[in-house]
Amino acid sequence: MNTVKQKMMFRQSLIKYSEKNEVTKAAIKYNVTSQYIYFWKRRYDGTLQSLADRSRKPKHHPNQHTEEEIKLIKDMRRRNPNAGLVVFWVKLRQREYKRSVTGLYRVLRKLG
């Protein structure tokens, strides 16, 4: 059994115990805070999967490159495959690219 499933089963047993007894007793028995129990009780919908940890990765960032900017970078890179980073950045700036050199470097690294 993997660790993720063990955590989910622990949370489920914690919730079931707190429903039969009171939350304070469950907190003492399982050595957790009552806030922890209330948090998982709110999230629990009867399935084991609802007790899994959720991703903390953000869905988007307000400053991330737009699709148009990425398309411009890809098109320019295809036309200028041997240009250095700064030369490539200057050519992009001539075509309305507004980002910094380091931002361009991060995108190029991400795109491979």
Side-chain angles (χ1 to χ4, degrees), residues 49-63:
Q49 195 60 36
S50 65
L51 298 174
D53 289 325
R54 293 182 185 164
S55 174
R56 290 186 171 90
K57 181 180 177 184
K59 306 288 187 271
H60 69 282
H61 190 276
N63 294 333

Side-chain angles (χ1 to χ4, degrees), residues 33-64:
T33 63
S34 55
Q35 275 185 317
Y36 182 83
I37 297 172
Y38 286 122
F39 172 81
W40 289 109
K41 280 180 82 167
R42 271 193 310 273
R43 193 179 282 189
Y44 186 59
D45 63 2
T47 63
L48 194 62
Q49 195 60 36
S50 65
L51 298 174
D53 289 325
R54 293 182 185 164
S55 174
R56 290 186 171 90
K57 181 180 177 184
K59 306 288 187 271
H60 69 282
H61 190 276
N63 294 333
Q64 73 186 20

